[in-house]
Amino acid sequence: MSGAARHSCYSWAARLVVLLVALTIGAAAAAESLEFVTATGAHRFEIEVARTEREREVGLMYRRSMPRDHGMLFTFPSEQPVSMWMKNTYIPLDMVFVSRKGRVTSVARDAVPMSETIIPSGPPAFAVIELNAGAARAIGLDVGDQVRHPSFKP
């Protein structure tokens, strides 16, 4: 095999593995309801929950789209400073950092797809909720707003 043919074959195989991992993790996570309570009212989203280290590592990477009212919840063992990034993530996102009690501690709006820039939580966070970019603005989400989901203990 020529070098170009070998590279093409390996690239194809690597992409297939990445796609299968992303699909497997996405399919394994059943959608759950989560609600934000803001000054504009209650807003329901269907979310996948990334509970394991592997699910948190992959997150929404490699996906090309996500329904408007969907997202992903990342939970951690305890409240701590959290850092996220957009490496291998094609969808522009809003990142909502949340305390153990279900209160929004900070919001990073319009994260740039494919960027390796670190996005810090600011205050310690117990969870991060990733939504389509613009969703936080659309529902009037702000620091201090309540998040309702079984992961949080108000």
Side-chain angles (χ1 to χ4, degrees), residues 60 66 70-72 74 84 93-95 128-131:
L60 293 172
M66 181 170 62
H70 282 60
M72 180 169 272
F74 298 77
M84 305 291 283
L93 298 172
D94 288 341
M95 294 184 188
V128 179
I129 304 165
E130 293 181 340
L131 306 171

Side-chain angles (χ1 to χ4, degrees), residues 9 12 14-15 60 72 89 107 122-123 148:
C9 179
W12 179 84
R15 280 183 285 208
L60 293 172
M72 180 169 272
T89 305
V107 181
R148 294 180 182 155

Side-chain angles (χ1 to χ4, degrees), residues 19 53 88 104 106 147 153:
L19 177 63
E53 187 63 33
N88 299 319
V104 174
S106 66
V147 181
K153 308 293 184 222

Side-chain angles (χ1 to χ4, degrees), residues 130-146:
E130 293 181 340
L131 306 171
N132 283 301
R137 189 173 293 106
I139 66 171
L141 189 66
D142 206 354
V143 171
D145 287 344
Q146 183 70 47

Side-chain angles (χ1 to χ4, degrees), residues 74-84 95-107 119-129 143-144 152:
F74 298 77
T75 60
F76 301 96
S78 62
E79 285 190 346
Q80 59 194 354
V82 175
S83 295
M84 305 291 283
M95 294 184 188
V96 182
F97 298 91
V98 185
S99 74
R100 180 76 175 112
K101 292 184 177 185
R103 291 286 176 186
V104 174
T105 59
S106 66
V107 181
I119 302 167
S121 62
F126 170 72
V128 179
I129 304 165
V143 171
F152 304 109

